Amino acid sequence: MGKGGQLSEGVIKNIILSYTYVAIWIFLSFTVIVYNKYILDKKMYDWPFPISLTMIHMSFCSTLAFLLIKVFKFVEPVSMSRDTYLRSVVPIGALYSLSLWLSNSAYIYLSVSFIQMLKALMPVAVYSIGVLFKKEGFKSETMMNMLSISFGVAIAAYGEARFDVWGVILQLGAVAFEATRLVMIQILLTSKGITLNPITSLYYVAPCCLAFLFIPWIVVEFPILRDTSSFHFDYLIFGTNSFCAFALNLAVFLLVGKTSALTMNVAGVVKDWLLIAFSWSVIKDTVTPVNLFGYGIAFLGVAYYNHAKLRALKAKDAQKTAQQVDEESGRLLEEREGNEGGRKNEPED
C-alpha cells in the first residue's frame, strides 16, 4: 500500500495483467466454441465432419508445439522415456481424442447454450471418477453438492426447446471421457512427478490424438469426403480456426501460470453465461426460463464446489506452513542445545 492506503504501481500493474489474461482466455475460449459451432452446424457453414475438424486442429497444434519447443526453444521439453510415453501419455491421448471428437460432434445436434449447461456436470464426473479410482475420498456433503448440480442440469434439459437425445449422449460421453482424462493425468503423470504445461502437453499428446482419430476417420468420414468432389479445403476458415484453438492453449498457459487454476474456473463461469447470452441474442437459439432456472441451480452448485475446494486448499497450505515452521523451530532448538552442550564440554583454563 502507498500513502493514504493507495495501491502501489506494481500491484496495480499485476491486477491489470491478471484481468488482461482472463479477458484474453474468455475471448479465445468463446471464439473457439462459436467458431466450431459455425463450421459444424448444417444451418451455417455446413461442414459436419467433427473428426476431420479435430484432426486439423491436432495437426496444426502438433506442428506449432514442435516449432515452439524444438526450434524457437520457447518452452523446455519434459524428459520422458519411451516406456513412460507408452504407459502414461498414450492412454491420456486416447481419452483426449474421444473427448474432442464427441464434444465437437455435439455441436451438430445441440445449441451452444445447452451444451454449456451440460458441461456444468464436469465437477460431478471428475469427483465420481476420482472416488472410483480412489483419488478422492467419499464425502456425503460433496456428494449432495454433486446431486444438486445434476438436478439443476436435469431441469435445464427438461426445459430445452431443441432437445436431441443423440446430441445429449455425445456431450455426456465427452464430459465422461474428459473427466477420466483429468483423473488419469493425476494417476499416470502427476504421481510420477511429470508436469506438462499446455505447450508440452500438445507436443506429446496431439500426435497421439491424431493417430487415434485416424482410425474412425478412415471408416466414418473419409468415404464421404472422398465422394464429395465439390469440397475444397478452405485455408482461411480452417487456418484461423486452428490458430484460435492453439492460441487458446497458450492463453491457458498464461492464465494458470500468472494467476491460478481457480481464477480460470471463475473465468469459465463468466464465459459460460456470456455464451448463453450470445447463443440467445445472436445465434437466436431458444433459451427458456426453465433452462435458466435449472442452470442457475447447477451454477450455484459449481460455485459452492469451487469455494469448498479453495477452502480445502487454504487449510492444506496453512497446515503445511505450520509444519514447516515447527520443523524450522525444532532444528534451531537442536542447534542451540548442541552449541550449549559444546560450551559445557570445553576444558576450563
Side-chain angles (χ1 to χ4, degrees), residues 84-147:
T84 303
Y85 183 83
L86 292 173
R87 288 175 179 271
S88 302
V89 175
V90 169
I92 291 167
L95 291 166
Y96 194 38
S97 62
L98 288 167
S99 170
L100 291 172
W101 171 17
L102 297 184
S103 63
N104 281 334
S105 298
Y107 287 113
I108 300 171
Y109 304 97
L110 302 175
S111 66
V112 170
S113 57
F114 187 43
I115 285 174
Q116 298 315 118
M117 293 176 190
L118 290 174
K119 283 182 180 179
L121 287 169
M122 183 60 74
V124 180
V126 171
Y127 178 72
S128 302
I129 293 166
V131 170
L132 186 66
F133 284 97
K134 297 181 179 178
K135 294 301 291 181
E136 292 274 1
F138 180 84
K139 295 177 182 176
S140 300
E141 183 186 355
T142 307
M143 184 51 69
M144 288 300 295
N145 187 14
M146 298 299 106
L147 288 173

Side-chain angles (χ1 to χ4, degrees), residues 145-209:
N145 187 14
M146 298 299 106
L147 288 173
S148 71
I149 295 170
S150 303
F151 179 66
V153 172
I155 292 174
Y158 178 78
E160 175 60 22
R162 192 185 152 194
F163 188 88
D164 185 283
V165 175
W166 181 237
V168 170
I169 291 170
L170 287 170
Q171 185 55 48
L172 292 179
V175 168
F177 282 121
E178 178 63 10
T180 308
R181 182 184 75 91
L182 293 173
V183 175
M184 285 296 108
I185 287 174
Q186 286 183 300
I187 295 170
L188 299 176
L189 292 178
T190 309
S191 62
K192 296 177 182 177
I194 301 170
T195 305
L196 300 178
N197 62 50
I199 308 303
T200 52
S201 179
L202 284 175
Y203 176 75
Y204 290 108
V205 176
C208 188
C209 284

Side-chain angles (χ1 to χ4, degrees), residues 32-54 57 100-109 162 221 237-238 241:
V32 168
I33 289 169
V34 174
Y35 211 158
N36 286 352
K37 172 68 175 175
Y38 168 75
I39 291 172
L40 295 165
D41 198 305
K42 293 177 182 179
K43 295 178 182 177
M44 298 182 191
Y45 189 77
D46 190 22
W47 199 70
F49 300 102
I51 306 175
S52 301
L53 182 63
T54 309
H57 288 173
L100 291 172
W101 171 17
L102 297 184
S103 63
N104 281 334
S105 298
Y107 287 113
I108 300 171
Y109 304 97
R162 192 185 152 194
E221 293 185 2
I237 290 290
F238 294 110
N241 178 244

Side-chain angles (χ1 to χ4, degrees), residues 332-344:
L332 290 171
L333 186 61
E334 284 177 5
E335 286 180 0
R336 188 182 301 167
E337 288 175 350
N339 290 336
E340 288 175 356
R343 289 195 198 100
K344 288 178 182 178

